[in-house]
Every structure is written in C-alpha cells, then in structure tokens.
C-alpha cells in the first residue's frame, strides 16, 4: 500500500466562516477520527490532491505541529461548482488494528475466452479488503489467462495473503462474455455450410 507524507496545521477556529477562510488560502479543512482524540486540521490542497486524485489507495503520514499520525481517507466532500476538495475526514490507523480499505484491481494476461472470440468485461475496478496496514498491497492483480467464454471470477475467488475480502463473494470481478460473432454463425458461413446439402435441380 502506497504512503505519502505531508504537514498539517491545527485549526483553532472552527465553523463555516473559519473553514471558508482556510479555503481562500488553498487549505482544506480536515478532521481525524479513530484515535484517542479527534483533531481539527487543515492541509494544503496541492498536497492533498496527490492523495485524492489517483487510482491508488494511500495512507498518509501526517506531521501535525511535530506530532506524527498515520491516517487513511474515510470520507471526502467536493465543491459542486468546481469539483475541488472542500473537506476530508481521516481515520487514524495503527499497526496492530485491522482496517478496511479499497484497493485497485488490475487484470493481467490474455484470457482464453478472448482468444476464442469472447469479450473481457471488468466489473470491479476496486475491491474492499480488511487487514493490517503492513499486509496491504498497492494493487490487486487478477490473472485471467485461463478464463473461458461464459466464465466469471468472483470476489470470493480472489486470494490475497493475510487479507480478507469484504465484498460479497458472489460479486463479479471480471468475466468473458459471449459475443454475437461467437453465438451466431455469419451469414456467409451459414450459406457455405448449407450449400452441400442442396439437392440438384430436376
């Protein structure tokens, strides 16, 4: 699991007016929950964006006026007009407590079903897992080389050492669907196959 480091400042003044003042300075108001106490902080938007606008899942090592905290994003709010991050809720994590995160899914290999004319369909771009931070992986790779036409890999089929899949086990992750070309013979093919069976004219 990827990590990122940045500094945060403590917000002494709370409320909508104070939050608006921070945003004018390109600072995003944030909260940290899950630890011994909650923190009201602000982080520079340009640094926070590196953690938000990415296909990967990060945990952050925050420096809050010299105090170190390890956190993950729990919830995000965006400005409906310009799509800028307007508020973030972080969850404080520790090395010995399991957490639930979503990890990106990457399909690797050329499926047998695709070679046979089927179409690969990736149903899940992320998969939710539970485990310790030290066991988290950056990306979940799913090999589809042996996946045949009409077959599906479900969440319950995914195995990641020391991590538990949280998604419903019957949820489809990736499948090879039957295409029209495979399901129906072409008009030319039908004609060519039917021709030998025709009787000569009398």
């Amino acid at each position: 699991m990827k990590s990122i480091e940045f500094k945060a400042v403590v917000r002494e003044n709370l409320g909508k007016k104070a939050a608006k003042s921070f945003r004018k300075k390109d600072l995003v108001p944030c909260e940290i929950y899950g630890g011994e106490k909650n923190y009201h902080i602000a982080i520079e938007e340009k640094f926070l964006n590196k953690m938000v606008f990415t296909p990967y899942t990060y945990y952050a090592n925050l420096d809050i006026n010299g105090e170190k905290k390890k956190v993950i994003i729990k919830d995000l709010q965006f400005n409906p007009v310009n799509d800028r991050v307007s508020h973030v809720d972080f969850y404080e994590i520790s090395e010995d407590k399991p957490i639930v995160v979503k990890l990106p899914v990457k399909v690797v290999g050329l499926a047998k079903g695709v070679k046979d004319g089927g179409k690969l369909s990736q149903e899940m771009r992320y998969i939710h897992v539970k485990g310790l931070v030290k066991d988290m992986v950056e990306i979940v790779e799913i090999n589809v080389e042996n996946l045949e036409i009409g077959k599906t890999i479900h969440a319950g089929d995914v195995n990641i050492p020391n991590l538990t899949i949280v998604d419903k086990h019957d949820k489809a992750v990736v499948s090879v669907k039957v295409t029209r070309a495979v399901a129906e013979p072409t008009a030319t093919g039908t004609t060519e196959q039917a021709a030998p069976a025709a009787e000569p004219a009398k």
Side-chain angles (χ1 to χ4, degrees):
M1 188 174 176
K2 291 178 176 290
S3 64
I4 192 170
E5 297 185 9
F6 38 70
K7 294 183 178 181
V9 295
V10 176
R11 290 189 292 131
E12 301 291 348
N13 298 320
L14 306 178
K16 292 183 178 180
K17 186 176 181 180
K20 187 176 181 179
S21 176
F22 276 106
R23 294 188 186 104
K24 286 183 177 180
K25 300 175 184 177
D26 292 330
L27 293 169
V28 179
C30 307
E31 315 290 335
I32 301 178
Y33 303 102
E36 294 182 357
K37 67 175 184 177
N38 298 337
Y39 291 81
H40 308 285
I41 61 173
I43 300 172
E44 283 192 60
E45 183 181 6
K46 64 180 180 180
F47 295 125
L48 189 59
N49 285 345
K50 295 179 181 179
M51 188 178 184
V52 175
F53 298 105
T54 172
Y56 297 100
T57 300
Y58 284 85
Y59 70 84
N61 291 307
L62 289 183
D63 183 336
I64 310 171
N65 296 343
E67 187 176 0
K68 308 293 185 180
K69 293 292 176 183
K70 186 176 292 186
V71 300
I72 58 172
I73 292 177
K74 192 69 174 178
D75 189 42
L76 285 168
Q77 293 179 24
F78 294 90
N79 185 307
V81 177
N82 55 29
D83 286 332
R84 292 173 65 180
V85 179
S86 60
H87 189 275
V88 180
D89 284 341
F90 287 105
Y91 183 81
E92 185 176 347
I93 57 179
S94 60
E95 297 293 340
D96 58 349
K97 288 184 179 180
I99 57 173
V100 175
V101 299
K102 67 175 185 178
L103 298 175
V105 173
K106 180 181 180 181
V107 173
V108 296
L110 180 61
K112 182 180 183 300
V114 173
K115 293 179 182 178
D116 294 336
K119 181 180 180 181
L120 190 74
S121 177
Q122 186 173 345
E123 313 294 343
M124 293 176 64
R125 300 292 173 180
Y126 293 90
I127 194 165
H128 293 81
V129 301
K130 182 178 182 180
L132 299 178
V133 176
K134 68 180 181 65
D135 295 321
M136 291 296 170
V137 295
E138 291 184 5
I139 195 166
V140 178
E141 291 191 348
I142 298 180
N143 191 305
V144 297
E145 289 181 352
N146 296 322
L147 194 62
E148 300 178 346
I149 292 178
K151 299 298 183 180
T152 300
I153 295 176
H154 297 90
D157 300 321
V158 179
N159 182 31
I160 311 171
N162 301 318
L163 297 179
T164 301
I165 304 299
V166 177
D167 294 293
K168 290 184 178 180
H169 284 198
D170 61 351
K171 192 172 182 180
V173 180
V174 61
S175 61
V176 177
K177 299 184 181 297
V178 178
T179 61
R180 181 175 297 180
V182 174
E184 301 176 4
T186 63
T188 302
T190 303
T191 302
E192 291 175 350
Q193 292 174 2
E199 295 183 2
K202 295 181 180 180

